Amino acid sequence: MTGREQQLNFYYSADARRLHRIVDSILLKFGGLSDKDRDDFYSLANEVFVDVLRRYNEEQSFEAFLQSCLFNRIKTEMTRRNCEKRRADRRSVSIDTPVGEGEELTLGDTIADSFDLETEVLGSDDCRTMKMEKYLDRLSRRQRRVAELLTAAYGAGEIQAILQITPLEYADAMSGLRSYENVSLLF
């Protein structure tokens, strides 16, 4: 068995786990990757591995050479992907972009549309009122008071001071306000 065949067997035995571990350790430095991205980088690692097998000249350890080549190729690919994201961000336009001379209107204001998110989610006024009453009935007195202050645009610290509650008690009230059991009544 040649040296190349040995390396191939070593890194690709058990479904290429050794190669995947090297790729995973490199990807940890970048973070924020989906499983699809990880699979893309595994495929990239296969290409790099074949290239490394072809170019390896035994001046350094095979593993060090492989890791160095993998790191450089993954870093290059991450840079390319981030450049594409930035390029896409520059081309995007927010619906809240001011338009017109006075810039009082936004792009969203100029689009003719009868869609109303609130009506779509909550239904008619009567239905909305019933859903809101059911939601409020499920809340404790403290949760209801926190909700009232939130709708009046008070911040977390201000609410804690007004109600004289601890941050933990505030977090508990917010948890109740956001719980699936309560919020699901609104839909």
Side-chain angles (χ1 to χ4, degrees):
M1 187 179 295
T2 67
R4 291 173 201 255
E5 290 171 342
Q6 288 174 338
Q7 295 299 344
L8 190 63
N9 287 335
F10 181 74
Y11 285 97
Y12 280 91
S13 64
D15 295 328
R17 280 198 187 116
R18 284 188 177 87
L19 185 62
H20 289 183
R21 275 191 222 126
I22 294 171
V23 171
D24 289 340
S25 69
I26 294 170
L27 292 176
L28 277 175
K29 296 174 181 151
F30 296 100
L33 295 172
S34 69
D35 288 339
K36 183 200 175 297
D37 289 332
R38 190 172 308 285
D39 286 342
D40 290 347
F41 283 103
Y42 289 158
S43 296
L44 182 72
N46 291 330
E47 294 172 19
V48 171
F49 186 83
V50 169
D51 184 53
V52 165
L53 273 179
R54 191 174 36 80
R55 295 186 313 141
Y56 179 63
N57 61 9
E58 299 183 17
E59 289 181 14
Q60 63 186 29
S61 79
F62 183 82
E63 180 138 351
F65 184 58
L66 176 62
Q67 284 183 339
S68 172
C69 291
L70 280 171
F71 180 81
N72 289 335
R73 186 63 175 96
I74 288 172
K75 183 178 176 184
T76 300
E77 179 63 16
M78 291 297 264
T79 301
R80 185 191 67 74
R81 287 179 179 209
N82 288 333
C83 284
E84 284 179 9
K85 288 178 189 174
R86 284 191 299 277
R87 199 172 308 130
D89 285 346
R90 286 192 298 264
R91 289 190 301 247
S92 63
V93 176
S94 170
I95 199 161
D96 296 322
T97 301
V99 293
E101 291 183 24
E103 296 188 2
E104 294 174 9
L105 290 176
T106 65
L107 185 58
D109 294 332
T110 63
I111 299 172
D113 189 10
S114 62
F115 179 79
D116 179 32
L117 181 63
E118 190 174 313
T119 303
E120 187 69 26
V121 171
L122 299 175
S124 67
D125 287 341
D126 293 336
C127 182
R128 191 174 325 141
T129 302
M130 283 180 24
K131 289 178 180 183
M132 188 58 74
E133 285 176 11
K134 283 182 184 178
Y135 172 76
L136 292 172
D137 286 343
R138 298 268 315 251
L139 301 179
S140 69
R141 192 176 325 150
R142 178 178 290 157
Q143 290 168 340
R144 193 180 290 214
R145 186 69 179 121
V146 167
E148 289 169 4
L149 292 171
L150 284 170
T151 58
Y154 284 97
E158 295 169 313
I159 294 172
Q160 290 170 30
I162 291 168
L163 299 179
Q164 298 178 350
I165 58 175
T166 66
L168 185 59
E169 291 170 320
Y170 174 78
D172 185 49
M174 289 301 295
S175 177
L177 290 171
R178 295 177 179 151
S179 74
Y180 175 77
E181 295 83 26
N182 291 337
V183 173
S184 65
L185 295 172
L186 298 172
F187 299 106

